[in-house]
Amino acid sequence: LILSNYISSTELECISPDIHTAGAVSVEVTVNGVDVSSDGVMFEYVNDAVVTAIHPASGPATGGTAVSLIGYDFVDNDSLSCYFGEEAVLGRWISPTEVECISPAVASNASVTFGMSLNGVDYISSSLFFAYY
């Protein structure tokens, strides 16, 4: 049983419990601790994705470079994003081991940290950098 925050008559907010195995679980609601919904709503836990390389690791400050992320446990969804420094761009799922993102334009030449998000909320850091020239 997980406590929730009341947002509105049609929305509750709760924090998913820590589970160490990927997979789908049923989410049900009770308002009195006795009667429980049976709507069959599912929530899916996924493994943490890992980025092991990006290619190319540099591109022009004008942006537009197609960058391939290589790693594992990438999932296909509409919220997939890449971070070039603090600038987020949408990602395109290629496979469980590859995602493609287009580098955004920046104001000046710089080397920025690179990261990603599978869901638009949780940030996955890496020790990788993208160098603008």
Side-chain angles (χ1 to χ4, degrees):
L1 184 64
I2 303 298
L3 294 178
S4 65
N5 293 321
Y6 176 86
I7 304 297
S8 71
S9 63
T10 60
E11 184 177 358
L12 298 173
E13 177 185 70
C14 58
I15 297 176
S16 60
D18 214 5
I19 293 185
H20 302 286
T21 305
V25 295
S26 174
V27 177
E28 303 299 344
V29 176
T30 180
V31 294
N32 61 11
V34 177
D35 302 312
V36 179
S37 66
S38 59
D39 297 322
V41 174
M42 301 302 286
F43 178 83
E44 185 172 2
Y45 286 92
V46 297
N47 291 324
D48 290 336
V50 175
V51 180
T52 57
I54 58 174
H55 182 76
S58 63
T62 55
T65 301
V67 178
S68 291
L69 288 67
I70 307 302
Y72 53 91
D73 289 331
F74 300 149
V75 294
D76 186 10
N77 71 54
D78 295 336
S79 299
L80 190 63
S81 55
C82 298
Y83 288 82
F84 293 80
E86 294 188 17
E87 183 74 27
V89 296
L90 287 177
R92 183 171 69 93
W93 187 84
I94 306 294
S95 74
T97 60
E98 184 178 1
V99 169
E100 181 183 76
C101 295
I102 306 299
S103 66
V106 294
S108 62
N109 299 353
S111 184
V112 297
T113 57
F114 187 85
M116 72 175 302
S117 176
L118 297 177
N119 60 13
V121 176
D122 300 311
Y123 179 77
I124 300 166
S125 63
S126 75
S127 59
L128 303 173
F129 289 86
F130 185 81
Y132 283 100
Y133 53 82

